[in-house]
Structure formats: structure tokens, C-alpha cells
Amino acid sequence: GKFRVTEQGEMINQNFGYIDRAERTMDIYTAAILAEKLSDRKTPTPEYRAMMKKLSDISCEAYRRVVRFDERFVPYFRSATPEVELANLNIGSR
């Protein structure tokens, strides 16, 4: 199999910029790969997949009803979230 890691620019130095951190990061990657490779996973049954699809559809519709159609949502969101402050943060590379 293949293993691919995508790191944001600022994380490359944090995770690989010093020998001890790079070794620890590689230890974590190695442990994760081995744990996944050595784990026996059951293939989900068609019934399980159908139930997960149903739950996903129901929860997505409920979420959209609140976010798109409940007039109380936006005022609540604005009062509960520091959106103005978050919008002014210079975070991430995008």
C-alpha cells in the first residue's frame, strides 16, 4: 500500500524542524501505519451501510433545516461565536 501525508507549511518546521521532533513524528506515523496494517477490520454489511446512509441523510436534513430555515440560528450563532474576531485572524495558508 501507499501512505501519503499532507502538512501545512507552518507544520513542517514544527514536526520536522528539529531532530527530536522529526523522530517523534516518524514514530507516530510508523505506529499509526502498523496499527492500521495489523488490525482486522470487518467489511461492513449492506444492511449496516444502508443504516449509516439513512442516519446521514436524516442528520444532514435536520442540520440544514436549522441552519438555512430557522430564523433564530444566525442571531444565536453571532452571539455564541466570536465570528468577527475569527474573521480577522491570520491563520492557515489559504
Side-chain angles (χ1 to χ4, degrees):
K2 293 183 179 182
F3 176 71
R4 180 178 177 171
V5 175
T6 303
E7 292 278 3
Q8 294 290 333
E10 61 273 10
M11 296 305 294
I12 293 171
N13 187 56
Q14 181 174 325
N15 289 335
F16 296 100
Y18 300 94
I19 295 291
D20 62 329
R21 291 183 189 171
E23 286 178 356
R24 178 68 180 139
T25 299
M26 293 307 294
D27 286 347
I28 292 169
Y29 289 171
T30 301
I33 292 168
L34 288 172
E36 181 59 30
K37 186 72 176 167
L38 298 174
S39 295
D40 286 330
R41 300 210 185 271
K42 294 180 181 178
T43 302
T45 65
E47 295 82 11
Y48 176 85
R49 288 184 186 275
M51 179 57 73
M52 291 299 107
K53 173 78 169 98
K54 183 177 180 178
L55 288 171
S56 174
D57 291 344
I58 291 168
S59 63
C60 185
E61 180 56 34
Y63 170 81
R64 287 180 177 164
R65 267 195 318 272
V66 169
V67 172
R68 293 180 180 171
F69 303 114
D70 188 332
E71 69 278 351
R72 299 172 299 170
F73 176 73
V74 172
Y76 166 75
F77 181 83
R78 290 201 167 132
S79 69
T81 307
E83 66 172 328
V84 173
E85 292 80 2
L86 292 173
N88 291 325
L89 291 176
N90 184 15
I91 57 175
S93 60
R94 292 184 168 81

